[in-house]
Amino acid sequence: MTRVTTSLVPTVRARGSSTGMRRVGAVLTSLWLPVLLVGIWWFATANSSSPFFPPLGDILVETWNQWVVLGAWTNAVVSLRNLFIGYLFGVLIGIVGGSLLWRLRYLRIAVNPIIYFLYVLPAPALLPAMIAIFGIGDMRQIALIALGSIWPTLLNTLDGMRGIDTVKFDTARGLRLGGWRTYTRLVLPGASPQIAAGMRASLTVGIVLMVVSEMVAANSGIGFFILQAQAEFAIKKMWTGILVLALIGTALNYLFVFVERRVLRWYYRSRALGSS
Amino acid sequence: SGGGAPADAGGEGDGGAPEKSTLTVAINPSTQFAPLYYGIQEGIFEEHGLELEITPQTDIAAIVSGLASGTYDIGFATVVHAVTANANGIPIRAITTIEGQIQEDDEGTVTIASAESGITDFAGLEGKRVATVGLSSHNTMTMWELADRAGADTESIELVQLPFGQMAAALASGDVDAAIMQWPFAADALAAGGVELGYNNRELFVDTATTLFNTSQSFIDQNPNTVRAFADAMAESIVGATENPDVAKESLIEGLGITAEQAAGARWNIGGDPALNLDAFEVARDLLVKFSTDESAKTALENLDVSTVVWPGAL
Amino acid sequence: MSSAAVFTPTATETVLTVDGLRKIYNEGTDQANMAIDAVSFHVDKGEFVCIVGPSGAGKTTLLRCISGLASPSAGAVTFEGRPLTNVPEQLGLVFQDYGRSLYPWLTNGDNVALPLSARRMPRAERAARVAESLQSVGLGHVERKYPWELSGGMQQRVAIARALSYRPELLLMDEPFASVDAQTRFDLEDLILEVRRELGITVVLVTHDIDEAIYLSDRIVVLSKNPSVVREVVDVDLGDERTQVETRASEQFLSLRRHLLSLVMPKDA
Amino acid sequence: MSSAAVFTPTATETVLTVDGLRKIYNEGTDQANMAIDAVSFHVDKGEFVCIVGPSGAGKTTLLRCISGLASPSAGAVTFEGRPLTNVPEQLGLVFQDYGRSLYPWLTNGDNVALPLSARRMPRAERAARVAESLQSVGLGHVERKYPWELSGGMQQRVAIARALSYRPELLLMDEPFASVDAQTRFDLEDLILEVRRELGITVVLVTHDIDEAIYLSDRIVVLSKNPSVVREVVDVDLGDERTQVETRASEQFLSLRRHLLSLVMPKDA
Amino acid sequence: MLDRSRSWLNWALPVVTVGVVLLAWQFVTAGGMVSATQFPTMTDTMAALGREISTGRVWPAIGATLIGWLIGMVITIVLGVIIGTALAFNDFAQRSAAPVIEIFKAIPAIAILPLVILIAGSTLPMKVFLVCFAAFWPFLIQVIYGVRSMDPIVLDTARALGVRGARRFLQISVPSASPYLVTGMRIASAQALILCIVAEIVGGAAGIGRNILLAENTGVVAYPTMYAYIMVAGILGVALTGGFFLLEKRVMHWHESQRNIRESNKVGAA
Ligand SMILES: Nc1ncnc2c1ncn2[C@@H]1O[C@H](COP(=O)(O)OP(=O)(O)OP(=O)(O)O)[C@@H](O)[C@H]1O
Ligand SMILES: Nc1ncnc2c1ncn2[C@@H]1O[C@H](COP(=O)(O)OP(=O)(O)OP(=O)(O)O)[C@@H](O)[C@H]1O
Ligand SMILES: [Mg+2]
Ligand SMILES: [Mg+2]
């Protein structure tokens, strides 16, 4: 579980007080390729008559029509709400569960196979079962998202806590920090870089499950929107759904990284400075 | 049609031997395909120089696009799918029906309400939650139309996409108030006290076929004899299955991999006329226009000449 | 932990007594590994005692037993007349590897404040104490910075400040200067001598550097190779005033050095 | 790399000439950092030269320039009469951190064989050479083991064996004994003296330990603080026969030590 | 601390737990706490699993799922290593590509599934494309990180020893990046399996997922079969992940993490 990196977003901004020119250069470097690719997409499809690859311009117009004019944005709101609640539950259970497993050795040994089974079990395979248990409605979506996002966080929490240097625990005992203070001042922050990595993996899983769960037995959400478009053979409409989902996914990813870089400032700065 | 057909023709028909003898046929497995399996079992397709490779595929949209991309030679779709696909620029053509035309006493698709919901007719669906196998499917359209005719506000009906197999359970648990179902699943729902609201197709599609085998325009252009041979074989199979329903039912045991008991309860339009006509396409187009919320989609549907959706040889 | 049996009233001056200490890792399994065989010595109040021994001798193990972090397999450790069961309140600990013992997610100030808040010291008093402790190791200005923003020598000073902040009576240090460069090391050695003079605390320091041991201590406990026993306890009478250049070149220093080298080097063993 | 211009025929005995070397990191940017200002010295064939200087003086940087791993910002490095452009074939390098320079995925034998196979030595000859090299550092039995199965001192020996395996004419070492304990350090120091005597190679060794520098070298280059210049080049005439206990206690050693300390310690600067 | 005398707990506890969970499942379903239409009993499910195995129906499904997984993995790993290494050695290329990689990584492959189904049908190429789309980006990031996090001393040493060219790539660069590569493969494998099964459930491509779907469509009578296939999916996941852990253990035996694991196993405590 260690050695997992899930983002290429730059760790530190250009070192020191970079001049304006340099910052412009950095922005240009990161922008030219996406812009070029969008440009290629635009011109390659400009005169497209294939029903599957409509012109990009048409897709953009359709996106505005569908999501703003026709009010499909409510689907995004529903999706995000389910994601938020499910993810929050999943991550909380993951951290608390991971801490418990770290603390309770025998429990860890005992439930290890079950946890690994649930972790590697492709969560979408549980969809039919979830319908049977939770019925139809947001509850099922939330439950599935929560269930899927527990495991990466839980396992990373456990791994992170087990990976804390024994010298740091000796230090805590030497300073007589006591149980709770050791947990809040040493165990949690010490494992936090890996907990964050787990939470990021959980977010990815959560978004996937958000979409999958809406593609089966749902009546709202982005996944529902895309699947409905498919059933209507409304390919352009489907493209708009994919576009919106890509935007949301990217935005959530960057948001996560943004928050993580601030909360774990000590970790990224110390790493950038070369000490452990 | 069929200009330069090879000389050593082994098949019948007027156009010569099929250009392609092995066909990939995508179906959405159900007992409605009894005539198809009957035809295969009795060697009717073989007589026409055809060998069929049946591919089960639950997603009709995937079948339609598979036809357009050439993955499948022939594939199942309802009339609603065929019309929608063409309105969206995907050129598929209906070449034959899978089971014959709908009759006055059709016992196919049925709308059932749960006992607890208190719904007794289509008007009662207003504001309720209804399970359907596909959101923009044939079943949904007919249910909307019937509800509309009964005076319900169709926009207030909440749809949930569910496979037939789960509808009975969803009705029983109260997850949905009503479901548009197929046999044999409908039996479970009715046995659990479900209320039969009506047979959707009986009201709207009598004497016209709604369940179709389709292919792409380019396949027709390149393999006219094959298409003809398939259509002929299918028509013969439908007639044969009508004459020997028990044999046709038995053919399902191996074909669909179901039990003898399930096969005995198989249903299709036994005795339906195996010919296509444009009525179903016009009704479907009108329903789609009526219930479309999207202006551009509506315009495309209005501009669609439904006769282009059907292979001329089928009419 | 057969400690109570061996308990004997000690002289008023004795802070720490180690009596027949033995430590076996993984006792009772087939990977049993005796790190310490039999070590006995005592430390008087205000004394500076160094423990030297080759690598792997069990010095760290010994220190962990003395501090109460590990329990001995046999023998007893008595701190201020009471047998040791846990880490005592009045004990300060400085580990070899500053990089591992300072918490990188806390500022230097918070690192130093940690044992104080664990001892429920009021916030205002705490802040004053933190500033004072850092001042005493010559780091008045780094309270807001993080440990990893400092050089190695400065980090080790923060660790010392943290161990001193709650005014321990006994300071245990495990090779505290092993990973800093020679010059910083000289500085830190002088710093610890000065701190000890000012606060009058007792210090036990583990090192494998013989020169360092002689320069710092009043008494040196020389351990044998693993499993270790006490080879000799050497008294160091270099007086209170020591300087890096003069003291280390004095005749007394050199003869002590020769003696210790002959104890430690295997060819002469 | 203004090397060609400075080229002058050197005495037959001179292996390495460093002339007005300057190294600026991140040159031309606002983070420019001058590590070395102006360093000139030369090394004769068969000589043992130590470079001492405080931490951060630029010792590692200097060694990287001498070995051809880094290119100087100004000045020239001449190796065997030719200006340096890349790492020469006849150069051996031992890095400070054995943990990072030995490849953990190769056995000790394979680690030692690596430069040999890179030089396309036939397999049979290679095997013999590997065994011989490991033997020469007193590690005949570890060929099949992995570096991490050895103690720190043994790992550093493997690194030395690797650098010696292809019989370099010049051996460069960057604080090779900094992270081993005192006794192992003594052993390794004696080992390197012996190897050098046997093979007659030239050695340049970087250290911050003054005692070590005196004990090992024929000449000591003392660097100032960063950006470094040569503070003084000190000749060491302790003869060829040196022993850890005797030599280090000799009058000559101590006076050299006093002199170097006064050069290095900031209070006296 | 778990000493030797109690090391039997290491295998006994998990076995007991699995047993307890299975019994609890049986108790809850057979005892009527959950209706049979919602959840089949454990024995029924096991019987269904046995039937699927004895009739041999389960093997083609597993085969179809695995073939999609395998082709997708091979493409992902080959392309990932080549492109990742190329990007890692060129700072400009890496910084230019980073946003594109991030964006593509953020698009759930599920979202393009309906579109891919329309274009390619429910076929093996469709499955392979989705598998690659889902597994490629995270793996690429791992490769770039692995190559970039190479200790400069490792490279310096290689240069000083005169090791260059292909030898340097194979004997130095690849082993040095291998911790990241192996972890990346393990993650990619899990992603690939999930995508295979989703493509089968949502898109109806042949495989375990489609058997789940077909059983679901068949209704309540087929629920035990459905859960049997869900279990097959989980077991397949365990097998593949376990395989990668074993691979990691074999290939990475020299790496610190593996040494630590061995060490902690030996001492019998963690
Ligand atoms: N947790 C442990 N489990 C088993 N054996 C241990 C453990 N810790 C240390 N040992 C063993 O005990 C012996 C003494 O180790 P210790 O770390 O106390 O030596 P040391 O004198 O501090 O060495 P150094 O100078 O290298 O720090 C060694 O042989 C070591 O392998
Ligand atoms: N890659 C680099 N980029 C920028 N500055 C560097 C780099 N490497 C070293 N420096 C700087 O150059 C100076 C000299 O560093 P160097 O590592 O050569 O010192 P040193 O004498 O070897 O120190 P030590 O004794 O700690 O090993 C230091 O100020 C350091 O910060
Ligand atoms: Mg130690
Ligand atoms: Mg250096």
Side-chain angles (χ1 to χ4, degrees):
Chain A
M1 279 282 106
T2 43
R3 306 185 302 275
V4 182
T5 41
T6 41
S7 179
L8 277 176
V9 180
T11 304
V12 272
R13 278 161 286 146
R15 280 158 296 164
S17 57
S18 61
T19 58
M21 273 306 286
R22 198 180 277 239
R23 195 164 295 167
V24 171
V27 170
L28 284 183
T29 309
S30 60
L31 277 188
W32 72 268
L33 191 57
V35 169
L36 179 72
L37 289 178
V38 170
I40 291 175
W41 184 6
W42 181 283
F43 286 109
T45 59
N47 297 313
S48 164
S49 58
S50 158
F52 300 124
F53 299 101
L56 177 55
D58 292 5
I59 294 177
L60 294 180
V61 171
E62 182 76 4
T63 308
W64 175 261
N65 283 338
Q66 289 290 344
W67 290 87
V68 180
V69 179
L70 292 175
W73 56 271
T74 51
N75 285 308
V77 172
V78 171
S79 291
L80 285 175
R81 189 203 56 208
N82 289 347
L83 176 67
F84 180 74
I85 301 174
Y87 178 69
L88 206 66
F89 269 103
V91 159
L92 274 181
I93 296 172
I95 295 176
V96 172
S99 305
L100 281 178
L101 290 186
W102 169 73
R103 196 77 190 80
L104 307 173
R105 203 179 132 65
Y106 289 108
L107 182 68
R108 180 165 80 226
I109 296 173
V111 301
N112 194 37
I114 307 285
I115 286 188
Y116 264 93
F117 184 80
L118 289 172
Y119 171 58
V120 297
L121 175 72
L126 287 175
L127 258 176
M130 297 305 264
I131 298 176
I133 298 169
F134 289 97
I136 291 157
D138 292 335
M139 194 50 214
R140 171 187 57 100
Q141 267 107 297
I142 292 171
L144 188 71
I145 294 169
L147 185 70
S149 32
I150 289 174
W151 313 115
T153 302
L154 183 140
L155 289 172
N156 271 285
T157 302
L158 178 57
D159 256 29
M161 290 179 173
R162 291 181 72 178
I164 296 174
D165 198 338
T166 48
V167 172
K168 290 200 167 58
F169 282 107
D170 277 355
T171 306
R173 280 184 64 198
L175 299 175
R176 298 180 59 98
L177 292 193
W180 180 247
R181 195 170 256 109
T182 302
Y183 181 72
T184 54
R185 305 307 291 270
L186 167 59
V187 179
L188 268 187
S192 58
Q194 229 185 313
I195 295 178
M199 285 171 64
R200 191 145 15 114
S202 286
L203 184 63
T204 308
V205 173
I207 294 177
V208 168
L209 290 181
M210 169 187 94
V211 179
V212 177
S213 65
E214 288 164 356
M215 285 186 171
V216 178
N219 50 25
S220 59
I222 303 174
F224 168 82
F225 178 89
I226 293 176
L227 201 71
Q228 194 184 28
Q230 188 213 31
E232 293 169 358
F233 301 100
I235 315 251
K236 233 185 286 172
K237 192 173 156 191
M238 198 147 69
W239 274 105
T240 73
I242 295 169
L243 211 61
V244 169
L245 201 52
L247 280 178
I248 288 179
T250 312
L252 286 178
N253 187 44
Y254 273 88
L255 182 71
F256 190 101
V257 172
F258 179 82
V259 173
E260 183 192 354
R261 293 294 136 109
R262 258 145 205 78
V263 175
L264 296 181
R265 205 176 66 104
W266 64 268
Y267 176 70
Y268 288 101
R269 294 259 324 270
S270 66
R271 251 192 5 173
L273 286 181
S275 59
S276 72
Chain B
S1 66
D8 57 341
E12 302 157 55
D14 50 355
E19 294 82 356
K20 194 170 183 222
S21 60
T22 306
L23 299 181
T24 315
V25 180
I27 65 162
N28 183 332
S30 79
T31 62
Q32 288 161 300
F33 288 94
L36 174 73
Y37 284 111
Y38 174 81
I40 295 172
Q41 180 180 292
E42 299 299 308
I44 296 172
F45 287 94
E46 214 172 309
E47 279 168 30
H48 285 81
L50 297 174
E51 193 185 327
L52 304 187
E53 275 178 10
I54 309 290
T55 310
Q57 171 57 271
T58 43
D59 187 356
I60 295 181
I63 298 181
V64 170
S65 60
L67 292 174
S69 64
T71 313
Y72 308 131
D73 299 321
I74 307 236
F76 165 77
T78 66
V79 62
V80 167
H81 284 107
V83 169
T84 319
N86 277 281
N88 281 283
I90 302 172
I92 63 163
R93 303 287 174 255
I95 56 173
T96 174
T97 160
I98 67 165
E99 52 172 347
Q101 297 182 353
I102 308 269
Q103 291 149 286
E104 302 245 338
D105 58 348
D106 171 67
E107 289 196 334
T109 310
V110 57
T111 305
I112 297 171
S114 68
E116 300 80 51
S117 68
I119 302 170
T120 53
D121 57 8
F122 277 100
L125 290 178
E126 181 162 313
K128 300 294 186 186
R129 191 188 258 183
V130 179
T132 176
V133 74
L135 296 168
S136 307
S137 66
H138 182 88
N139 289 2
T140 310
M141 292 297 147
T142 51
M143 182 274 292
W144 270 342
E145 174 65 9
L146 294 174
D148 187 51
R149 286 187 190 176
D153 172 15
T154 55
E155 296 213 357
S156 71
I157 300 174
E158 192 187 344
L159 291 178
V160 175
Q161 188 172 343
L162 270 189
F164 290 123
Q166 298 212 319
M167 286 179 180
L171 282 173
S173 67
D175 277 336
V176 294
D177 302 304
I180 313 160
M181 299 185 71
Q182 207 75 272
W183 298 91
F185 307 105
D188 290 341
L190 292 175
V195 181
E196 192 181 290
L197 301 186
Y199 287 84
N200 298 28
N201 289 330
R202 227 190 255 181
E203 315 274 338
L204 298 167
F205 287 101
V206 172
D207 291 334
T208 187
T210 58
T211 46
L212 313 166
F213 270 127
N214 308 272
T215 188
S216 66
Q217 182 61 53
S218 64
F219 189 83
I220 294 174
D221 294 342
Q222 285 158 24
N223 309 286
N225 296 345
T226 314
V227 172
R228 165 56 63 203
F230 183 84
D232 289 348
M234 200 59 224
E236 272 178 47
S237 301
I238 292 171
V239 172
T242 299
E243 285 162 3
N244 306 299
D246 291 334
V247 180
K249 285 177 182 175
E250 258 168 50
S251 72
L252 288 172
I253 298 177
E254 201 193 335
L256 290 180
I258 57 177
T259 63
E261 197 180 45
Q262 287 169 321
R267 294 188 180 210
W268 71 93
N269 297 342
I270 301 175
D273 183 346
L276 289 186
N277 63 41
L278 288 180
D279 295 354
F281 294 87
E282 270 154 13
V283 174
R285 198 256 319 266
D286 293 346
L287 290 181
L288 284 163
V289 169
K290 182 172 175 183
F291 294 112
S292 173
T293 51
D294 187 328
E295 281 311 316
S296 61
K298 198 176 272 186
T299 317
L301 283 163
E302 277 165 351
N303 292 337
L304 180 71
D305 173 5
V306 289
S307 68
T308 62
V309 180
V310 186
W311 172 53
L315 292 170
Chain C
M1 288 215 269
S2 51
S3 42
V6 205
F7 173 68
T8 40
T10 49
T12 46
E13 290 281 6
T14 302
V15 179
L16 185 78
T17 318
V18 179
D19 191 16
L21 188 90
R22 161 176 298 182
K23 176 71 186 180
I24 306 172
Y25 280 109
N26 305 317
E27 209 174 346
T29 74
D30 50 359
Q31 289 124 28
N33 173 12
M34 192 192 288
I36 302 176
D37 187 0
V39 167
S40 307
F41 65 95
H42 67 99
V43 179
D44 288 343
K45 193 162 184 64
E47 231 185 350
F48 200 126
V49 172
C50 279
I51 300 171
V52 299
S55 184
K59 304 184 294 294
T60 300
T61 308
L62 178 60
L63 214 76
R64 284 173 52 86
C65 291
I66 296 178
S67 62
L69 283 173
S71 53
S73 306
V77 179
T78 319
F79 177 71
E80 299 203 324
R82 279 182 305 278
L84 209 66
T85 50
N86 205 334
V87 185
E89 286 260 337
Q90 316 92 310
L91 192 90
L93 260 168
V94 177
F95 292 92
Q96 166 170 4
D97 202 340
Y98 46 81
R100 291 162 70 190
S101 81
L102 289 177
Y103 295 161
W105 48 89
L106 299 180
T107 60
N108 295 307
D110 288 341
N111 262 294
V112 175
L114 205 53
L116 303 179
S117 54
R119 285 165 177 74
R120 306 192 183 289
M121 184 182 279
R123 182 176 295 272
E125 196 182 336
R126 205 160 68 202
R129 186 71 77 82
V130 168
E132 176 194 321
S133 300
L134 283 170
Q135 205 75 52
S136 73
V137 295
L139 289 177
H141 53 290
V142 302
E143 211 178 311
R144 287 262 152 90
K145 289 194 171 177
Y146 286 89
W148 34 267
E149 293 177 302
L150 307 182
S151 73
M154 288 159 96
Q155 288 182 40
Q156 194 58 296
R157 279 179 215 225
V158 176
I160 296 172
R162 182 173 65 183
L164 294 175
S165 66
Y166 50 97
R167 310 242 164 99
E169 282 158 31
L170 174 62
L171 186 62
L172 300 181
M173 307 174 99
D174 186 8
E175 309 195 21
F177 313 133
S179 33
V180 295
D181 68 304
Q183 191 193 312
T184 313
R185 185 169 193 150
F186 289 164
D187 290 349
L188 289 174
E189 283 168 8
D190 287 339
L191 171 81
I192 202 71
L193 281 179
E194 194 186 308
V195 163
R196 175 246 186 167
R197 218 173 1 241
E198 272 176 19
L199 305 181
I201 53 176
T202 316
V203 182
V204 175
L205 185 145
V206 158
T207 178
H208 58 231
D209 186 328
I210 289 167
D211 291 4
E212 180 171 283
I214 306 173
Y215 182 69
L216 291 174
S217 46
D218 299 323
R219 219 137 47 87
I220 299 176
V221 178
V222 184
L223 295 184
S224 73
K225 276 211 307 210
N226 170 309
S228 50
V229 296
V230 176
R231 193 176 270 281
E232 193 175 318
V233 178
V234 181
D235 281 313
V236 179
D237 295 315
L238 289 171
D240 264 4
E241 284 303 316
R242 308 184 184 190
T243 67
Q244 294 286 359
V245 179
E246 299 309 319
T247 308
R248 281 177 190 252
S250 70
E251 188 46 48
Q252 218 176 349
F253 187 98
L254 290 171
S255 76
L256 275 167
R257 188 167 190 278
R258 222 167 295 138
H259 176 61
L260 283 164
L261 265 178
S262 68
L263 278 174
V264 165
M265 294 285 289
K267 339 186 176 188
D268 314 39
Chain D
M1 291 222 267
S2 52
S3 45
V6 205
F7 175 69
T8 41
T10 49
T12 46
E13 292 283 6
T14 302
V15 180
L16 185 79
T17 319
V18 179
D19 190 17
L21 187 93
R22 163 176 297 182
K23 176 71 187 182
I24 306 171
Y25 281 109
N26 305 317
E27 208 174 347
T29 73
D30 48 1
Q31 290 125 27
N33 172 12
M34 193 192 288
I36 303 177
D37 187 359
V39 166
S40 308
F41 66 94
H42 67 99
V43 179
D44 289 342
K45 193 163 184 64
E47 232 186 350
F48 201 127
V49 173
C50 278
I51 299 172
V52 300
S55 185
K59 302 184 294 295
T60 300
T61 308
L62 178 60
L63 215 74
R64 283 173 52 85
C65 290
I66 296 177
S67 63
L69 283 173
S71 53
S73 306
V77 179
T78 319
F79 177 70
E80 300 205 321
R82 279 181 306 277
L84 209 67
T85 49
N86 207 332
V87 186
E89 285 263 327
Q90 317 93 308
L91 193 91
L93 257 170
V94 177
F95 290 93
Q96 165 168 5
D97 202 340
Y98 47 81
R100 290 160 72 191
S101 82
L102 288 178
Y103 296 134
W105 52 89
L106 299 178
T107 60
N108 295 309
D110 289 342
N111 262 294
V112 176
L114 196 59
L116 302 178
S117 53
R119 283 167 178 75
R120 306 190 183 290
M121 185 181 279
R123 182 176 295 272
E125 196 182 337
R126 203 160 70 204
R129 186 73 74 82
V130 168
E132 178 193 322
S133 302
L134 284 170
Q135 207 73 52
S136 75
V137 295
L139 288 177
H141 53 290
V142 302
E143 212 179 310
R144 288 261 153 90
K145 290 195 171 177
Y146 285 88
W148 35 267
E149 293 176 300
L150 308 181
S151 73
M154 288 161 97
Q155 289 183 37
Q156 194 59 296
R157 276 178 216 229
V158 175
I160 294 171
R162 182 173 65 181
L164 293 176
S165 66
Y166 50 98
R167 310 243 164 99
E169 283 159 29
L170 174 62
L171 185 63
L172 301 180
M173 308 174 97
D174 187 7
E175 309 197 18
F177 314 133
S179 31
V180 294
D181 68 303
Q183 190 192 313
T184 312
R185 186 168 191 150
F186 289 164
D187 290 348
L188 288 174
E189 283 167 8
D190 287 339
L191 170 81
I192 201 70
L193 280 179
E194 194 185 309
V195 162
R196 175 247 185 168
R197 217 171 5 237
E198 272 176 20
L199 305 181
I201 54 175
T202 317
V203 183
V204 176
L205 186 146
V206 159
T207 178
H208 57 232
D209 184 326
I210 289 167
D211 291 2
E212 179 171 284
I214 305 173
Y215 182 68
L216 291 173
S217 48
D218 301 322
R219 222 137 46 84
I220 299 175
V221 178
V222 184
L223 296 184
S224 73
K225 275 210 308 208
N226 167 311
S228 50
V229 294
V230 176
R231 194 176 268 280
E232 195 174 316
V233 178
V234 181
D235 281 312
V236 180
D237 296 314
L238 289 172
D240 263 6
E241 285 304 314
R242 307 184 183 190
T243 65
Q244 293 286 358
V245 178
E246 299 308 318
T247 308
R248 283 180 189 250
S250 70
E251 188 44 50
Q252 219 178 348
F253 188 98
L254 291 170
S255 79
L256 276 168
R257 188 168 190 281
R258 221 167 295 136
H259 176 61
L260 283 164
L261 266 179
S262 71
L263 278 174
V264 166
M265 294 287 288
K267 339 190 176 186
D268 313 40
Chain E
M1 298 277 133
L2 191 71
D3 58 46
R4 200 129 222 281
S5 54
R6 279 191 275 174
S7 65
W8 56 270
L9 281 173
N10 272 327
W11 58 265
L13 271 181
V15 170
V16 168
T17 318
V18 171
V20 166
V21 168
L22 289 179
L23 283 179
W25 175 5
Q26 179 68 14
F27 180 74
V28 166
T29 48
M33 263 180 260
V34 181
S35 82
T37 56
Q38 286 175 325
F39 224 97
T41 63
M42 186 268 283
T43 44
D44 285 352
T45 307
M46 290 301 170
L49 182 61
R51 195 177 55 242
E52 293 301 303
I53 292 174
S54 63
T55 58
R57 263 198 297 261
V58 74
W59 307 118
I62 292 180
T65 301
L66 275 184
I67 197 78
W69 173 86
L70 184 70
I71 300 177
M73 282 296 285
V74 169
I75 296 177
T76 297
I77 290 173
V78 170
L79 282 186
V81 169
I82 294 173
I83 298 177
T85 314
L87 286 180
F89 276 123
N90 186 333
D91 199 49
F92 177 73
Q94 201 255 160
R95 276 191 293 148
S96 301
V100 177
I101 297 173
E102 286 293 337
I103 290 170
F104 274 110
K105 200 198 87 194
I107 304 176
I110 312 286
I112 61 166
L113 174 72
L115 184 69
V116 179
I117 289 175
L118 282 193
I119 295 171
S122 299
T123 55
L124 184 62
M126 176 277 280
K127 212 151 70 171
V128 170
F129 177 82
L130 284 171
V131 165
C132 291
F133 189 87
F136 178 72
W137 308 108
F139 183 67
L140 184 67
I141 292 178
Q142 284 287 114
V143 175
I144 294 176
Y145 253 83
V147 176
R148 283 178 77 88
S149 67
M150 197 149 117
D151 192 332
I153 289 193
V154 165
L155 262 189
D156 273 358
T157 308
R159 283 180 64 197
L161 296 175
V163 183
R164 28 181 104 75
R167 188 188 303 278
R168 182 145 97 198
F169 182 76
L170 290 176
Q171 287 202 359
I172 314 293
S173 303
V174 170
S176 152
S178 56
Y180 287 86
L181 298 188
V182 177
T183 308
M185 283 184 217
R186 183 156 40 79
I187 296 171
S189 153
Q191 292 271 344
L193 184 64
I194 289 179
L195 251 291
C196 274
I197 290 187
V198 171
E200 290 156 12
I201 288 190
V202 179
I208 296 171
R210 188 170 72 187
N211 286 17
I212 295 176
L213 179 68
L214 289 176
E216 182 191 10
N217 285 354
T218 308
V220 177
V221 288
Y223 269 21
T225 315
M226 178 172 95
Y227 281 92
Y229 275 106
I230 292 177
M231 279 175 60
V232 170
I235 292 167
L236 199 62
V238 171
L240 290 180
T241 309
F244 273 96
F245 272 119
L246 275 186
L247 178 82
E248 201 165 342
K249 207 164 143 184
R250 290 293 285 278
V251 179
M252 305 293 303
H253 71 101
W254 53 270
H255 193 263
E256 252 178 311
S257 57
Q258 292 299 321
R259 268 145 51 200
N260 289 345
I261 291 170
R262 278 203 298 276
E263 206 52 43
S264 63
N265 286 345
K266 208 193 308 173
V267 176

